[in-house]
Amino acid sequence: MSSNISFLSMVGLKCCAYVKMVLVKDDFMKIDLDIIEHDAKRLEHIYSKAKSKSALKNIGNDLFGFQYLYFGIWGNDDYLRWEDDVLFDDVMQEYYYKKMKQFFTNYTYDLNFCFNSSRSVLQAYCDNKFSDLSNVYGNFRRLNKKDAMNILFDFFDSMGDKYYKFFKSLVDNKQIEMGYVGDYSNMAETTWLNCLNKSYVCCSSSTYNFYSLISLVHEVGHAYEASVVNNKNNKSFSTLFYEVSSCFFEYLFLRYVNDRRILVNDGKILEFDFLYDIYYFFFQNVLVQSLGNIFILDDYNLTIDFFTKKKLVDELNRKYNSNIQLDDNPINVRDALIYGYGRLIGINIYDRYVDDKKDILKRFDNFMNQYTLVGTFDSIDVLGISKDDLISNKVLKRTLKEYKIKYDDYIVRNRK
């Protein structure tokens, strides 16, 4: 216990007053394979009973989500017994195409707002000379499992007892996996099994550091949303708000880390990345909007010829005094929108969290149920955030200004 006390006092957690200390077992943060097999049989049973298109659609998302979960744990997809079902394949292709069209319908409904708010974001970064800041580089300090878990539990406890209990239930019920194989390196994902009313959270990193912890917190944000929303009727995938809950959790954890000065360098790296990503995604949004006719897309990925893309990138960099570089790959229009607005709305929710935590967390739950039904930016009113707030971007400007002060102070101290 003495080493734990030393670490916790170093990072600002008071061990003596902290009554919810975590007992870490060897199988901590590992999914129980017997439970996974049991869930597989339950899903297969539901699938075997699904004869209509609507029934297949209801089980379809769970089956595809389980496919990635199964592959991530075992490294193979031997369980894909539904792949040869032609009706199922046709139903799901039609379903996902309909979702994509609905996404662009929602986008074009708010197109004028998106046009103005996206440019306001770029101008905020330009006015604060964010491009003058060099990234804060460094290696993330490795944490032992006990220290990492105590930080996580203390973070969720700081949000409130409901969030602490929710995270603890994921851990106790073995619904979190660290060291996940997955499809990609540095990947984290949440699998929503709506028919079983449960979620699994997976992180590919088996190393405990602040990068893996913040990835985990991001995914717990998705899992929490799944617990709040009636997911059988969930339209979140076809809206621009799919990443709001996860990005709010992520940014809240960032501020928790930095406000308590827990491993300062690590926190500064991740805060810079979070703020830089807002600019990066909205840069892509403005670029795509400048092409026009976005609503006729038949794919989330937009391919732009090399010379057109280079010309647009150069023009935007000159106008907003930035140095963004885009590769030759297609732009994923959906990702740029959901991650851009997810982060932007996330910092606005945090701003209200500081003023009245109880009120905004209640509004936050209402928002998640509201936006899945409405799908447009009218949904954010329940948060006490207006479209005008995201066009003026006062919270973003203040956040950038505050970060620049902290950044300058950090650079000065590390030059001594």
Side-chain angles (χ1 to χ4, degrees), residues 60-269:
N61 281 326
D62 286 8
L63 293 179
F64 282 115
F66 188 80
Q67 168 187 341
Y68 287 104
L69 178 66
Y70 193 92
F71 178 84
I73 294 172
W74 277 279
N76 64 65
D77 53 8
D78 293 342
Y79 192 78
L80 306 185
R81 301 174 190 175
W82 55 82
E83 281 195 320
D84 297 327
D85 187 331
V86 176
L87 175 61
F88 175 73
D89 188 51
D90 289 344
V91 166
M92 295 312 297
Q93 284 193 35
E94 178 184 348
Y95 175 59
Y96 284 118
Y97 182 78
K98 183 178 179 180
K99 275 190 168 184
M100 183 186 68
K101 300 306 289 186
Q102 185 60 52
F103 177 86
F104 286 118
T105 298
N106 291 333
Y107 177 37
T108 53
Y109 174 87
D110 286 311
L111 190 58
N112 188 57
F113 160 75
C114 291
F115 183 93
N116 292 324
S117 58
S118 296
R119 283 155 181 77
S120 172
V121 167
L122 298 195
Q123 191 61 53
Y125 278 78
C126 180
D127 293 344
N128 282 276
K129 299 181 178 180
F130 191 83
S131 62
D132 291 347
L133 307 184
S134 299
N135 201 347
V136 184
Y137 294 104
N139 295 320
F140 293 110
R141 169 176 170 162
R142 294 188 63 166
L143 304 171
N144 66 52
K145 190 180 294 187
K146 182 184 292 184
D147 291 337
M149 289 304 99
N150 280 313
I151 290 171
L152 284 172
F153 274 100
D154 189 71
F155 164 68
F156 285 109
D157 190 46
S158 73
M159 292 183 70
D161 196 53
K162 177 173 71 171
Y163 301 91
Y164 174 89
K165 288 180 178 177
F166 176 74
F167 178 68
K168 188 174 186 298
S169 72
L170 292 177
V171 174
D172 291 348
N173 295 326
K174 301 189 181 303
Q175 292 169 239
I176 297 180
E177 175 84 11
M178 296 290 289
Y180 179 67
V181 177
D183 289 348
Y184 313 100
S185 60
N186 298 323
M187 185 188 72
E189 66 179 17
T190 301
T191 300
W192 296 2
L193 299 178
N194 301 326
C195 292
L196 305 184
N197 193 29
K198 68 190 302 185
S199 296
Y200 284 100
V201 174
C202 300
C203 182
S204 64
S205 175
S206 58
T207 300
Y208 288 88
N209 56 37
F210 274 105
Y211 181 81
S212 62
L213 294 193
I214 203 167
S215 298
L216 192 62
V217 169
H218 178 103
E219 297 305 324
V220 171
H222 283 303
Y224 176 74
E225 178 179 349
S227 73
V228 172
V229 177
N230 177 9
N231 288 296
K232 290 184 179 180
N233 297 310
N234 191 355
K235 302 176 183 177
S236 61
F237 193 84
S238 58
T239 77
L240 279 69
F241 309 110
Y242 189 74
E243 292 292 336
V244 170
S245 59
S246 55
C247 287
F248 167 57
F249 272 52
E250 180 180 343
Y251 189 68
L252 185 60
F253 183 67
L254 265 177
R255 296 304 298 258
Y256 161 89
V257 167
N258 285 335
D259 291 348
R260 288 162 175 75
R261 304 186 67 80
I262 302 174
L263 303 181
V264 176
N265 187 58
D266 297 31
K268 286 294 178 292
I269 294 171

Side-chain angles (χ1 to χ4, degrees), residues 13 39 48 53 56 98 109-110 144 153 163 165 177 184 193 204 226 235 252 271 276 281 291 294-296 330 356 390:
L13 300 180
D39 286 345
S48 69
K53 286 187 176 182
L56 286 171
K98 183 178 179 180
Y109 174 87
D110 286 311
N144 66 52
F153 274 100
Y163 301 91
K165 288 180 178 177
E177 175 84 11
Y184 313 100
L193 299 178
S204 64
K235 302 176 183 177
L252 185 60
E271 190 169 0
Y276 174 84
F281 288 122
L291 295 171
I294 192 64
F295 58 89
I296 64 173
D356 192 336
L390 299 187

Side-chain angles (χ1 to χ4, degrees), residues 2 12 33 37 44 66 73 75-76 87 102 139 145 182 199 216 219 251 282 296 308 320 340 361 382 402 404 407 411:
S2 59
L33 302 187
E37 288 286 6
E44 184 181 44
F66 188 80
I73 294 172
N76 64 65
L87 175 61
Q102 185 60 52
N139 295 320
K145 190 180 294 187
S199 296
L216 192 62
E219 297 305 324
Y251 189 68
F282 276 101
I296 64 173
T308 300
Y320 295 105
L361 289 178
V382 72
E402 291 172 353
K404 193 170 186 301
Y407 173 90
I411 294 299

Side-chain angles (χ1 to χ4, degrees), residues 8-24:
L8 293 176
S9 62
M10 177 185 73
V11 300
L13 300 180
K14 297 179 180 178
C15 181
C16 294
Y18 188 60
V19 297
K20 296 179 179 178
M21 194 62 67
V22 183
L23 293 176
V24 180

